[in-house]
Amino acid sequence: MNLCWVVWWVMMVLVSPFVGAANVSTSRPTLVNVGAIFNFDSTIGKVAKIAMEEAVKDVNADNTILHGTKLVLTSQNSNCSGFLGMVQALRFMETDVVAIIGPQSSVVAHIISHVANELRVPLLSFAATDPTLSNLQFPFFVRTTQSDLYQMRAVAELIDYYGWKEVITIYVDDDYGRNGVSALDDELASRRCRISYKAGFQSTPDVNRGEIMNLLVKVALMQSRVIVLHAHPNSGVMVFNMAHYLGMTDNGYVWIATDWLSSVLDSTSLPQETMDVLQGVLVLRQHTPDSVRKRAFSSRWNKLTHGSLGLHSYGLYAYDSVWLVARAIDAFFSQGGIVSCTNYTSLHDDDGDGLNLDAMSIFDNGTLLLKNILQSDFVGLTGPMKFAPDRSLVHPAYDIINVIGTGFRRVGYWSNYSGVSTISPEILYAKPPNRSSASQKLSSVIWPGETLSKPRGWVFPNNGRQLRIGVPIRVSFREFVSPVQGTEMFKGFCVDVFTAAVNLLPYAVPFRFVPFGDGHKNPSYTELVNKITTGYLDGAIGDIAIVTNRTRIVDFTQPYAASGLVVVAPFKKTNSGGWSFLQPFTPLMWIVTASFFFFIGMVVWTLEHRINDEFRGPPKQQIITMLWFSLSTLFFSHRENTMSTLGRFVVLLWLFVVLILTSSYTASLTSILTVQQLSSPIAGIDSLKAGDEPIGFQVGSFAEHYLAEDIGISKSRLVALGSPEEYAKALQLGPKHGGVAAIVDERPYVEIFLSTQCTFRIVGQEFTRSGWGFAFPRDSPLAVDMSTAILQLSETGDLQRIHDKWMTRSTCSLDNAEIDSDRLQLKSFWGLFLICGIACFIAIVLHFMQIMLQFWRYAPSANSISGRLQRFLSLIDEKEDPSRSKRRKRNGEEISPEDQLGGRPKKIQTETTVEFNSNN
């Protein structure tokens, strides 16, 4: 029985391949129809037509694919018309086509995709790059080329690489142009760049030259000189010709063309006049890796066309699209797919007379074929033909080429994997992704005008408009900025710095000053900066502090003046009187120092009392000795000698402390007696914050926001003051008479105020660090150039000379400008006192441990508690002679415990024989 099963199994294994082959052969039709819709006469269509025909030949000649089924390709000319494209698509639906290759136009693709969705026929486009052709809206649309989403990302990274912030886009006004520019706008915004002007023109075949001329004239009047051209080949070349006529392809301009121009350069030999117009243009071209198959096909192409028509990347993608369909159809048949259709009867009139759609049919197994298309994974002439989850081809990359002379050269690559680079993307794919600035490199570019210097990318517009520069009308501290009576001009330190910086720019800057403020009080500088964000002003100058909330909305130049908030308060002179000798130390310092003198005396007396006769005697004498010893160490004139090791250690450490204290005291007292001292009840911003007294600030200054929001001082304590005179009056009145305790303002204002008011001073330290700068709109290139000019003014010394011209000060503002009211405090010496105290504590503990050791060794355990305490106190007070004790031990004598406790030494015989002989 088992043998029969084995024989049956072997026969099934041997026969099943033939049965399967028979099934495959019988399920496959003799031919399969595929349609193609594109513009036969376009730059892309001419190449694509030949490429697809050659691909069909190669597919039918390959026995490893389709297995006997012949691929039939039927092409229809859409002429880039949406209507004609729809008609041709409907004609295909009358036949049993399983897929349509094309169209090349994004406009036509939008229309035909609706038809493909309804009839479930996969639509594979090798040239429709509109990024809005999404798989969500059009599930049967498959893009077999790169989307403009990646091309515009490459353009944005190219612009960011060269540091340009504003660009102008010229585009054909259709789905291809509008949606491509929209994608570019999003990519630039993510890199803090922007499109300053969008110029669209009609997409009709016969473009109006007058319309293009008017458009370019408007562009020439704009500030930006970086122009991105996203058009069709015919209209794009016309734009370049007319731009050359207007002088817009000369030095200073930057032209970036999308891959429409690379298809023209690759497929057509342009006349020298056209090449002269294109000199210096940067062009993107879809990157196709070099391979043996690609080189062989290029050689074959040259033989086919005899060199009259070049092969561009779209032709390669058209060739691979045919192979993609063929492989998907082969997998479709292998899975048992059948080409069957159902009549399309969804549309009927209410009367029952349906539209003539009976001939149209729905591809029943279109979903299965679409699935096989999306699962394709092979290497074609363009590289890997594999789809990502979003249905885009994997590894999007572009070549960056520069038109030079009679041709062009490649200056680098861009890939979505690693950005711009001079290394081929295929090499970088084998390495970890690296987007660091050091890895982003391109070769040198020859720009329009035949220059190697990177263009600045912007100029001032030639439309006669001057920059509107806002200037605050100050009513106080007019040294910084003030209007010139009877004119529209301004003068002051800030104005002179701005004028000097503008004169250093390598180009002319037309501007006019726009006054800001009512002239009765200082304006709000935050409102002045906000005028820039609304477009009312093109910039603002003056004493504008660079603070965080302003940098979020505008760009500032390099600071041309250092600034920061300081505290100004009244002061009084401290004259040296009869009690000046007490001023070096604070009261607490005096108390602690005196306490330590007595403490050290007690410690030394304790350590020396038992062994040093100079520390013994009647209680009155011992107290006097202890006080005298401690106080005499202040002058290093103590006569008492210390005998114990612990006592000497404590005295040595204490004398070091005394040395530090006396040196500091002497230096401070000398300063008090010889230098004029200033004192103020305010020590700085911390003391102001801790109190509840009013604080003054300048009207319009950011100090109010800083004190209230950042430091947390109540707004009810803040008093707005408008002039130096109000400063002086408020400080003189004081907080008890309707004035203020101190004023918080920026240092430059305070320096001018103190130049005429010698009864006030800066107290404490500057508690913010900022500067003054000129404000411009976000990402303004003028802010960068002005910063460079300000640095140049600083390096040459002109900035300091302008400062000295306006910021003249009297001597009272320079001498003792800042009050330091701190006296010598305990916090400066607590470490010394701590070390000395610890040493004394350790010495006392060791001393009492020695006494306790003696007490427990020699005191009888049977005595009462009172007796033991009495003997312990007597042991502390008794006189001990260490030299005598050692001498007795050497002579064989011992001190009995009774004698030690009683203070009387007694000799004990240790040998009985000696005692016996003495009795005899």
Side-chain angles (χ1 to χ4, degrees), residues 522-785:
N522 293 333
S524 171
Y525 283 21
T526 301
E527 294 181 4
L528 173 61
V529 171
N530 287 333
K531 291 289 185 180
I532 300 176
T533 62
T534 62
Y536 178 76
L537 297 175
D538 299 312
I541 69 171
D543 44 337
I544 306 174
I546 304 174
V547 294
T548 304
N549 61 334
R550 295 172 185 171
T551 57
R552 293 191 180 104
I553 57 177
V554 297
D555 280 350
F556 282 93
T557 61
Q558 172 80 16
Y560 62 86
S563 179
L565 293 179
V566 293
V567 178
V568 181
F571 74 96
K572 63 180 180 179
K573 297 180 180 179
T574 303
N575 298 321
S576 57
W579 299 96
S580 298
F581 65 92
L582 296 177
Q583 293 182 9
F585 288 164
T586 60
L588 180 61
M589 183 66 183
W590 279 116
I591 294 172
V592 174
T593 303
S595 300
F596 256 83
F597 271 102
F598 292 113
F599 174 68
I600 293 298
M602 294 176 61
V603 171
V604 174
W605 177 86
T606 302
L607 298 175
E608 297 290 326
H609 174 66
R610 300 184 66 235
I611 62 176
N612 195 336
D613 291 335
E614 295 181 353
F615 289 88
R616 299 186 63 82
K620 180 179 180 180
Q621 181 181 351
Q622 294 185 47
I623 293 175
I624 294 174
T625 301
M626 180 177 58
L627 294 176
W628 170 255
F629 176 82
S630 62
L631 294 176
S632 61
T633 56
L634 178 64
F635 309 101
F636 305 97
S637 59
H638 51 285
R639 294 178 300 175
E640 294 79 8
N641 295 322
T642 54
M643 300 180 62
S644 67
T645 303
L646 294 175
R648 291 173 179 175
F649 172 73
V650 170
V651 172
L652 179 63
L653 190 59
W654 173 245
L655 291 179
F656 175 74
V657 175
V658 170
L659 175 64
I660 300 299
L661 292 176
T662 54
S663 301
S664 302
Y665 176 86
T666 302
S668 180
L669 182 61
T670 302
S671 175
I672 291 174
L673 297 177
T674 58
V675 180
Q676 174 181 281
Q677 298 297 309
L678 306 177
S679 64
S680 172
I682 305 298
I685 188 62
D686 293 332
S687 61
L688 277 180
K689 181 181 178 181
D692 58 356
E693 297 174 328
I695 303 172
F697 68 92
Q698 184 184 172
V699 175
S701 172
F702 77 96
E704 178 185 14
H705 180 273
Y706 182 84
L707 294 174
E709 302 297 334
D710 296 346
I711 297 183
I713 297 177
S714 175
K715 289 187 177 181
S716 60
R717 296 178 55 193
L718 303 180
V719 180
L721 303 173
S723 65
E725 293 75 17
E726 294 184 20
Y727 281 15
K729 183 178 179 181
L731 289 173
Q732 290 169 356
L733 289 175
K736 296 181 180 179
H737 300 88
V740 296
I743 291 174
V744 176
D745 204 352
E746 297 178 68
R747 180 177 284 275
Y749 303 122
V750 171
E751 290 177 350
I752 292 182
F753 170 68
L754 295 180
S755 66
T756 57
Q757 300 291 335
C758 298
T759 57
F760 312 107
R761 288 292 183 271
I762 298 175
V763 295
Q765 300 295 322
E766 186 174 325
F767 56 92
T768 64
R769 297 288 181 182
S770 62
W772 290 351
F774 304 131
F776 294 95
R778 293 296 297 270
D779 303 320
S780 171
L782 187 58
V784 179
D785 292 348

Side-chain angles (χ1 to χ4, degrees), residues 15-27:
V15 173
S16 59
F18 299 98
V19 175
N23 292 334
V24 170
S25 60
T26 56
S27 63

Side-chain angles (χ1 to χ4, degrees), residues 150 153 157 395-397 414-419 429 435:
Y150 298 107
R153 186 172 299 170
E157 290 198 19
H395 301 321
W414 176 89
S415 68
N416 196 45
Y417 183 77
S418 57
Y429 291 148
R435 288 273 184 164

